[in-house]
Amino acid sequence: MTLVRTVARVRFAERCDTSAEASFPAGYQYLAAIAKANSAMDAQQLFREGVIAIREHQDYTRARQLLKQSLELEPRNIQAWLWLTRTVNDPSQKLAFVQRALQIDANHSEARKLYQRLNGQVAQPPSVSNPSHSSSQLQPSPESTPGIAGFREMIAATRIDAAPQTTKSELSLAEKHQVQQHLGQADLAIQAGNLPDAIAQWLEVLSIQVDHPEAIKKAAINLWNRGYEDEARAILQNAFDAKTTSPVVYQTAIQLAEDADNPREATRLRLRLARLPDTDQATIDYLVAHFLQLKQPKYAMRVLEYARQASPDNQRYLIRLGDLKQEFGSQDEAISLYEQAAQTSRRSQLRRAAEERLHDFVPTLSDRERTSVLLALREVIGISIIYLALAFQDVGLDFGNMNPVHWAGIGLAVIGSYLFVTATSSPQQLPLARWLGGNVPEDQDTHVPILSVETRVMMGILGISLLIAAFIFVFGNALELLIDPVRPDDLYEIFELDDPQAESLR
Amino acid sequence: MAFLWFLVYVLVALFFASFFFPLPLADVNKTMRYRTIPWMTGTLIGLNVAIFLLWQAPDIYRSNPTLGNWFKYFEKIWLYGYRESYLREGKSIGAFVAFTSIFMHGDLFHLISNMIYLWAFGYRVEDACGPWRFLSFYILCGMTASMGNILFNPLSQSADIPSIGASGAISGVLGAYLILFYGEWVTCLWGLGSFLRMPVVLTQNILNNGSLLWWRWTTPLPAWLFLIVYLAMNVVPSFEIIQEGQDVGGVGYLAHIVGFLSGLTVFLFVRKDLLMRYAAGRAL
């Protein structure tokens, strides 16, 4: 890792048009010299292949890769910078490449023409109304700015060992003030078209707060666009080393990984972004949509799983994940997620959405409901009330007339209904099921023992028998009348009939 | 043949009655969320219809009913209807009338209107209870309504008229529906509603260049509104019965009210997972 950073610094120094010797110790100078000697021929080859990729194959992605590789080895190749402009569509990126060419040779006619043309397309270009000034702006004087070369030291200063785990919440008031000052100066530099100075200011901010969202995004992207890829990576790595939780850092890194045609890295970063506690809902939605668009539902689900870990009560994540689980065949998990979403808050549109989705499924009992004795007793009360009402009617709507047989009947109804309810709808009551030797069923989604089938059948038969006996007890008078009903004599009076007449009418 | 004419007459009468008062047909979504096939509701409807058609209707729905026909018709009501003196004095079949009375009806209109209500609201309550618990609940509501009609009615002893019909039990089902599914919408046959909808839809079509159907036979109404109106329409005559001791047209309004209130007992019969949801404040 140390060697890679060292070589990167050497290359950076080369590109910045400064001598590696000035910035690095002798060992590094040696490495830089070796790198230069070995790379010259390869750089030309890569450049030629890049041009062929554009001219003959119109393969701009491949061309961009080749030209960038060529420029890494030979950063002063003006033609390569100019050809590179043909591989991108973004005018500001094109402009950045032309600026790199003009930094090497401010009088290069082709580069100047291209610069003037592109300048009209970019929203905030440096002023080129007076060509004599433009070169000084593109190659800032050491007095006004630190110079691109100076960024190297600044980036080094933002490293984790220099600013360990500095996050926004830990900044002192003075530091916050400094950050604001640097950001203000960066804005002024941008307005003046002085991008290097702006970058310098952003790097100053990063030396105070290693993951400052605005500074890191602007600095990294601008460095990247100007070809300082390693440096852009370095400032992001500093933030990662400081265990940043800023989504902007990850979003910037994703952008750079995409630009570098490194989809694996981009995916890895996206998944890490989803785990951050500060990642907002819109970002999660975007990530999910992105993975679904790429037909990678596994990653989309993983994003939502991570987001759920960060915000367990977020109904949107629960419902969205449930939708995906259902779509890809995990119905049980989908139901469980919808249930969680429906239970999270009492009244909300999302809760209603979860409820609506649950309408498609038959609800399943939870273990709490299965094991509850109270819920079983509730049904017992229901049945017992019916028996009480029967007894009450049997004694002529007067509880005072109820004899011990009626009360015994009600007692039997209570016992019989409990046995019946236990055998049918509540065979997993705790601790009853355990006492009676129940086992946890393997084919059901439950962790509590259930009464064996034999026990349930026995209880059911006994319960029904007791309920029948109870019915005979509570309805004794009515049963006697059913066998031998007393005819309604007052009806004969209404119809003015005597018994024989009534009999003949029947 | 005479029966068919009566049937047509009743259906036409119901149709015209539904112009002013909405006739509920089903849930708007016809939801059967818990996938319970409503065979108990169907069985109850079938049983009520069969008892009336095979046992009661032949006595009265004929071209020229004789005195003997009328006598037999009333004798059945007197024997198996719910009557205070018989309960207290142990006549007829005694307390068995608690069961028989809720399966008997006075005429076709009584039967059909009750069965329409039972279907419209019963299948959903059965869905929430399961068939056997629903049957227990239905019978308990029917018995409670019959008892309440006697216990709260100052006229019951003096008039001592047998009461029959499933409306007390069905009122309990309506009460349970209001408690459990207050947020639902009910599809109703309601002529007035269809006419009131017309200008609204036509205006919307003109303003939004829409193509909504300007006429629909059915109108969706919020279940809570429909059932509260039903309750109110029974509360007023019930107070007349209790306070002034006046019978109101032979309709058991008091039984309807008591039955409706006995719908609260649905919590003893509803499926336990749904009870827990309800207790957690969630819609069923």
Side-chain angles (χ1 to χ4, degrees):
Chain A
M1 189 66 193
T2 310
L3 183 65
V4 171
R5 281 195 176 165
T6 305
V7 174
R9 288 181 182 195
V10 172
R11 285 180 184 168
F12 180 64
E14 287 171 349
R15 277 190 239 150
C16 292
D17 201 17
T18 60
S19 64
E21 294 84 355
S23 308
F24 297 100
Y28 298 154
Q29 291 173 25
Y30 172 71
L31 281 171
I34 291 172
K36 264 187 179 175
N38 288 342
S39 65
M41 210 166 124
D42 293 334
Q44 282 303 311
Q45 182 68 26
L46 288 165
F47 169 66
R48 276 195 296 276
E49 285 178 11
V51 173
I52 289 167
I54 294 171
R55 275 186 175 162
E56 295 181 12
H57 307 295
Q58 285 81 46
D59 185 349
Y60 299 109
T61 309
R62 169 98 183 117
R64 188 164 64 243
Q65 282 175 341
L66 292 166
L67 289 169
K68 279 187 174 181
Q69 285 169 20
S70 162
L71 282 164
E72 276 187 10
L73 300 170
E74 196 178 10
R76 295 185 61 78
N77 184 345
I78 293 176
Q79 283 302 324
W81 284 112
L82 294 179
W83 274 100
L84 198 55
T85 60
R86 300 194 188 193
T87 66
V88 292
N89 292 323
D90 181 5
S92 63
Q93 263 187 303
K94 285 178 190 272
L95 194 60
F97 294 144
V98 180
Q99 283 173 334
R100 290 304 312 277
L102 286 170
Q103 279 177 336
I104 298 162
D105 181 1
N107 297 318
H108 194 282
S109 60
E110 195 184 338
R112 288 182 71 93
K113 278 180 197 166
L114 188 56
Y115 177 82
Q116 281 174 342
R117 189 158 58 79
L118 288 169
N119 193 33
Q121 297 176 26
V122 182
Q124 289 183 321
S127 169
V128 287
S129 57
N130 183 348
S132 61
H133 288 140
S134 67
S135 67
S136 65
Q137 282 167 342
L138 291 167
Q139 293 178 314
S141 66
E143 295 81 24
S144 62
T145 70
I148 295 293
F151 296 157
R152 177 176 42 77
E153 288 81 9
M154 291 185 180
I155 292 164
T158 66
R159 286 186 58 224
I160 180 65
D161 48 354
Q165 302 197 10
T166 312
T167 60
K168 191 178 180 182
S169 60
E170 293 160 352
L171 292 184
S172 66
L173 206 61
E175 284 172 327
K176 283 180 185 170
H177 181 68
Q178 277 182 324
V179 164
Q180 287 307 316
Q181 268 191 332
H182 286 304
L183 289 176
Q185 284 170 7
D187 286 343
L188 288 174
I190 287 287
Q191 281 168 15
N194 192 344
L195 189 60
D197 201 13
I199 293 174
Q201 295 300 331
W202 290 322
L203 291 177
E204 289 287 355
V205 172
L206 294 177
S207 69
I208 299 166
Q209 183 188 344
V210 74
D211 63 348
H212 189 280
E214 183 186 340
I216 202 162
K217 183 177 180 181
K218 288 182 174 172
I221 288 176
N222 279 292
L223 281 168
W224 183 272
N225 287 342
R226 294 168 76 89
Y228 302 113
E229 294 166 5
D230 288 340
E231 288 67 32
R233 284 195 189 103
I235 58 172
L236 290 169
Q237 190 59 49
N238 283 346
F240 292 139
D241 290 345
K243 295 186 172 56
T244 179
T245 57
S246 167
V248 173
V249 178
Y250 287 85
Q251 285 163 336
T252 308
I254 290 165
Q255 196 177 332
L256 300 192
E258 290 266 299
D259 201 52
D261 288 324
N262 190 346
R264 279 180 70 129
E265 177 67 2
T267 297
R268 193 183 66 81
L269 288 164
R270 282 193 173 95
L271 293 174
R272 286 183 66 183
L273 173 61
R275 299 183 90 141
L276 300 178
D278 298 337
T279 302
D280 62 9
Q281 214 152 260
T283 306
I284 294 294
D285 287 346
Y286 162 76
L287 291 174
V288 171
H290 171 84
F291 283 125
L292 289 178
Q293 199 178 4
L294 294 178
K295 295 190 169 57
Q296 294 175 325
K298 263 188 179 176
Y299 286 134
M301 282 190 256
R302 210 187 289 175
V303 165
L304 286 164
E305 291 279 9
Y306 291 152
R308 221 184 108 204
Q309 284 167 13
S311 327
D313 291 338
N314 189 308
Q315 287 171 303
R316 271 175 71 99
Y317 299 156
L318 289 166
I319 293 172
R320 192 80 183 92
L321 187 57
D323 289 347
L324 288 177
K325 294 277 183 190
Q326 192 193 352
E327 197 178 334
F328 294 97
S330 305
Q331 204 180 67
D332 290 344
E333 286 181 76
I335 294 169
S336 164
L337 290 161
Y338 293 147
E339 287 278 6
Q340 284 178 50
Q343 285 166 3
T344 299
S345 71
R346 280 192 165 256
R347 295 194 189 284
S348 71
Q349 278 193 335
L350 288 167
R351 180 194 173 127
R352 275 198 291 280
E355 294 279 10
E356 275 169 22
R357 282 163 171 80
L358 280 170
H359 275 235
D360 295 335
F361 305 104
V362 178
T364 51
L365 284 171
S366 67
D367 276 351
R368 189 182 158 210
E369 291 153 0
R370 288 188 179 104
T371 55
S372 171
V373 178
L374 283 176
L375 286 174
L377 288 178
R378 173 192 67 109
E379 291 181 50
V380 173
I381 292 168
I383 297 171
S384 302
I385 285 177
I386 293 174
Y387 275 79
L388 188 65
L390 290 174
F392 180 61
Q393 292 170 101
D394 194 59
V395 295
L397 305 178
D398 185 352
F399 278 117
N401 293 337
M402 277 178 63
N403 58 37
V405 176
H406 284 103
W407 287 116
I410 291 165
L412 285 180
V414 173
I415 298 166
S417 54
Y418 180 71
L419 291 173
F420 184 69
V421 165
T422 303
T424 53
S425 62
S426 299
Q428 286 179 279
Q429 292 170 66
L430 286 179
L432 184 77
R434 201 169 281 152
W435 284 345
L436 296 176
N439 294 312
V440 178
E442 287 175 5
D443 57 340
Q444 290 177 30
D445 183 23
T446 178
H447 303 291
V448 287
I450 187 168
L451 290 173
S452 65
V453 176
E454 294 79 13
T455 313
R456 290 173 69 182
V457 169
M458 288 293 291
M459 286 179 109
I461 291 171
L462 187 60
I464 288 173
S465 305
L466 289 177
L467 286 173
I468 292 169
F471 184 78
I472 293 167
F473 282 17
V474 297
F475 237 39
N477 298 332
L479 283 167
E480 278 178 30
L481 285 168
L482 188 68
I483 295 163
D484 184 19
V486 177
R487 292 274 166 196
D489 47 7
D490 59 334
L491 186 64
Y492 305 155
E493 290 167 20
I494 294 169
F495 274 81
E496 296 173 350
L497 299 170
D498 54 24
D499 279 359
Q501 283 174 317
E503 204 56 46
S504 68
L505 285 175
R506 280 197 190 100
Chain B
M1 191 63 190
F3 174 78
L4 287 176
W5 279 115
F6 274 111
L7 184 64
V8 171
Y9 164 76
V10 166
L11 292 176
V12 171
L14 263 175
F15 177 76
F16 282 106
S18 72
F19 183 83
F20 294 104
F21 193 81
L23 187 68
L25 300 177
D27 279 335
V28 166
N29 298 319
K30 294 187 174 64
T31 44
M32 210 75 84
R33 182 174 166 191
Y34 310 113
R35 312 263 169 92
T36 311
I37 296 168
W39 65 265
M40 189 55 76
T41 306
T43 304
L44 287 170
I45 291 171
L47 203 58
N48 279 289
V49 170
I51 286 170
F52 185 78
L53 292 185
L54 302 176
W55 190 54
Q56 290 184 273
D59 292 331
I60 50 171
Y61 289 106
R62 50 176 63 220
S63 303
N64 294 302
T66 62
L67 182 67
N69 295 132
W70 284 111
F71 178 75
K72 277 198 269 187
Y73 168 76
F74 279 105
E75 193 185 35
K76 284 168 189 166
I77 294 175
W78 248 248
L79 258 176
Y80 304 111
Y82 203 92
R83 194 177 178 196
E84 184 174 12
S85 62
Y86 290 0
L87 274 175
R88 294 198 191 276
E89 295 161 17
K91 288 183 180 175
S92 176
I93 54 169
F96 262 108
V97 293
F99 296 111
T100 54
S101 64
I102 59 175
F103 289 97
M104 293 173 72
H105 288 85
D107 54 37
L108 259 180
F109 191 89
H110 190 197
L111 174 77
I112 292 176
S113 55
N114 270 354
M115 293 307 106
I116 288 173
Y117 272 72
L118 177 56
W119 173 253
F121 296 101
Y123 74 96
R124 191 73 195 276
V125 177
E126 182 183 344
D127 193 32
C129 294
W132 293 106
R133 289 194 203 88
F134 176 70
L135 177 66
S136 308
F137 168 70
Y138 181 86
I139 287 172
L140 179 61
C141 289
M143 287 196 300
T144 312
S146 300
M147 286 189 287
N149 194 37
I150 286 176
L151 295 174
F152 298 114
N153 188 350
L155 283 173
S156 63
Q157 214 147 18
S158 58
D160 198 25
I161 299 167
S163 62
I164 53 169
S167 48
I170 294 167
S171 292
V173 173
L174 265 56
Y177 191 98
L178 178 62
I179 295 164
L180 298 177
F181 308 112
Y182 49 84
E184 290 293 335
W185 286 64
V186 182
T187 303
C188 296
L189 190 65
W190 187 29
L192 191 61
S194 295
F195 276 107
L196 289 172
R197 183 177 171 275
M198 274 171 61
V200 177
V201 171
L202 286 172
T203 312
Q204 276 186 344
N205 281 350
I206 291 164
L207 291 176
N208 305 329
N209 201 19
S211 57
L212 291 171
L213 284 176
W214 58 272
W215 175 261
R216 280 174 64 180
W217 284 100
T218 56
T219 307
L221 290 174
W224 65 267
L225 180 66
F226 182 88
L227 292 169
I228 293 289
V229 169
Y230 170 86
L231 190 63
M233 287 175 70
N234 282 280
V235 163
V236 176
S238 295
F239 272 107
E240 280 182 43
I241 293 169
I242 293 169
Q243 289 185 324
E244 297 172 24
Q246 290 176 349
D247 186 20
V248 188
V251 178
Y253 292 108
L254 202 51
H256 294 173
I257 293 293
V258 177
F260 198 90
L261 295 176
S262 68
L264 278 169
T265 59
V266 77
F267 292 124
L268 298 173
F269 299 96
V270 78
R271 290 162 47 140
K272 51 184 164 185
D273 52 343
L274 300 190
L275 181 74
M276 298 303 280
R277 276 157 213 260
Y278 193 87
R282 295 174 52 196
L284 296 186

